[in-house]
Amino acid sequence: MLLSNVTDSLTGGAIRLSVDFDSPVDYLVFLFQLLFATAAVLLAGPVVITILSTRALRLQNRFIFMLNTSICDTLVGFSVYYLGLFDVQEGYPSRNGTYNALPSLLGVNMMTFLFAQFDRYFAVCHPFLYSRFVTRPVVISANVYCWFHVIVQLIILNVVPRSKAIQVYVFSIVILQVIVLTKVAMTIKLYVVARYQLDRDPPSTDKENKKESLRIIIFVVISFLVLWSPSCVNIVLRLVIGRGVTFRNQANNLFAIMARFNALCTPAVYLWGSPALREALVRTVWGRVCPRCKRRVGSSPVKGDGHGGPMKIH
């Protein structure tokens, strides 16, 4: 994010905390950041563990995308322990920053959501081509590319001179706007598909899996755009006309907080929309912490193998 340097943050060689604790609001901000970071790690982290340890989920393409975003969300949660608790300012100029490495995790999520939308579109509208060409290696490669693209961009931003880095940064913002417009168009298209085409299909496990995955991706994308858009608009205003809201640091940046809130919202939507993921989560993670919860779930199988076939948890 392009933010200004407001205060000096170094005192005796140590990084100051994000607030001065001069008012009750400071205590609330600090406590919120601490609770937010912990909640994000405890919500997204178990989702990562569940998908990695459950073969039935790993074999489904949609859960590969969920795994990628959940890894990002877990890292975002850990990043808040630094960005939210200490006096950190990312962007140009930067103060105690991470060379935009931690904020770029949202970029990985955005690209993953875009690929996931295309995946669901071809799975519903062109099932024969999908089953033939969209294999697990293709899906895994798409998710790896999301990380590769962001890492390469970060390297360029931190290697080239600052003037060139700002130009690259502006160009990346423009590309993000194209991605956002594409995501909006794909969300509308997926909604139309989910409402009309799937209703005409005969009842089957494959139909239910497609409806479930479409519902999840639509809710996730809408929530991501709603929470991320204010930050994006503020960045554009600062880049184009030199106006926009300036915050003391990342902990007090309301727009950045909204954007990072996706780390809680996204895994919550996954668990809400996927009974298979919820059951596997209880078995593999929370069931070990609370055996009573595991007994309540029972021994019902997880269905779906990425192309609609039944499969049990191993």
Side-chain angles (χ1 to χ4, degrees):
M1 297 179 65
L2 190 61
L3 299 169
S4 62
N5 190 355
V6 179
T7 60
D8 294 328
S9 64
L10 295 179
T11 304
I15 301 177
R16 292 173 48 186
L17 294 177
S18 58
V19 294
D20 297 326
F21 298 103
D22 294 331
S23 67
V25 175
D26 289 346
Y27 287 91
L28 291 176
V29 169
F30 193 84
L31 181 61
F32 169 80
Q33 297 291 347
L34 182 62
L35 293 177
F36 172 79
T38 304
V41 171
L42 293 180
L43 186 59
V47 173
V48 174
I49 297 173
T50 298
I51 297 176
L52 288 176
S53 60
T54 306
R55 183 174 181 270
L57 300 183
R58 294 198 310 271
L59 292 179
Q60 299 184 57
N61 292 342
R62 60 195 178 110
F63 285 105
I64 299 298
F65 290 107
M66 291 185 191
L67 173 64
N68 202 39
T69 59
S70 296
I71 291 174
C72 287
D73 293 335
T74 304
L75 295 177
V76 168
F78 281 115
S79 73
V80 176
Y81 285 117
Y82 179 68
L83 296 177
L85 301 184
F86 295 94
D87 185 37
V88 179
Q89 193 71 287
E90 296 281 5
Y92 303 98
S94 174
R95 184 175 69 251
N96 302 323
T98 62
Y99 302 98
N100 288 314
L102 297 182
S104 67
L105 292 171
L106 293 175
V108 176
N109 267 358
M110 175 173 287
M111 295 186 63
T112 304
F113 292 148
L114 181 63
F115 283 123
Q117 285 180 297
F118 282 113
D119 175 84
R120 291 300 89 195
Y121 173 78
F122 283 106
V124 174
C125 298
H126 306 285
F128 297 106
L129 291 176
Y130 180 84
S131 60
R132 183 176 180 181
F133 295 106
V134 186
T135 60
R136 287 186 71 245
V138 172
V139 173
I140 294 174
S141 298
N143 283 272
V144 171
Y145 172 77
C146 296
W147 290 91
F148 175 79
H149 179 90
V150 171
I151 291 173
V152 169
Q153 180 175 304
L154 278 174
I155 293 175
I156 294 175
L157 287 174
N158 291 297
V159 170
V160 301
R162 181 174 176 179
S163 59
K164 293 295 182 181
I166 295 177
Q167 294 178 3
V168 174
Y169 186 81
V170 173
F171 178 76
S172 67
I173 295 297
V174 175
I175 296 298
L176 283 178
Q177 307 314 305
V178 176
I179 294 178
V180 168
L181 293 176
T182 304
K183 288 167 69 66
V184 172
M186 287 298 300
T187 301
I188 297 174
K189 179 66 174 181
L190 286 173
Y191 174 78
V192 174
V193 169
R195 185 172 181 178
Y196 294 102
Q197 181 167 334
L198 287 179
D199 288 342
R200 296 196 299 266
D201 293 341
S204 64
T205 301
D206 184 44
K207 176 182 176 180
E208 293 303 317
N209 286 338
K210 289 179 179 179
K211 291 179 67 174
E212 175 187 302
S213 59
L214 280 171
R215 182 171 60 248
I216 290 175
I217 192 62
I218 288 174
F219 272 97
V220 165
V221 169
I222 291 176
S223 63
F224 185 89
L225 293 177
V226 169
L227 293 172
W228 185 83
S229 294
S231 178
C232 177
V233 172
N234 190 52
I235 292 174
V236 172
L237 289 176
R238 294 183 63 83
L239 290 174
V240 176
I241 62 177
R243 296 181 179 271
V245 183
T246 299
F247 297 92
R248 175 183 175 183
N249 51 38
Q250 293 284 51
N252 294 277
N253 189 333
L254 178 61
F255 298 146
I257 293 173
M258 290 180 62
R260 290 195 293 266
F261 200 76
N262 283 284
L264 277 176
C265 184
T266 300
V269 172
Y270 290 161
L271 293 172
W272 164 78
S274 176
L277 181 60
R278 289 199 304 271
E279 294 175 3
L281 179 69
V282 172
R283 289 191 180 93
T284 58
V285 180
W286 299 123
R288 298 184 179 182
V289 179
C290 177
R292 182 178 301 178
C293 298
K294 186 175 182 178
R295 289 195 296 267
R296 288 179 181 177
V297 175
S299 57
S300 58
V302 176
K303 297 180 180 180
D305 63 352
H307 302 296
M311 181 171 294
K312 297 182 179 180
I313 295 180
H314 296 280

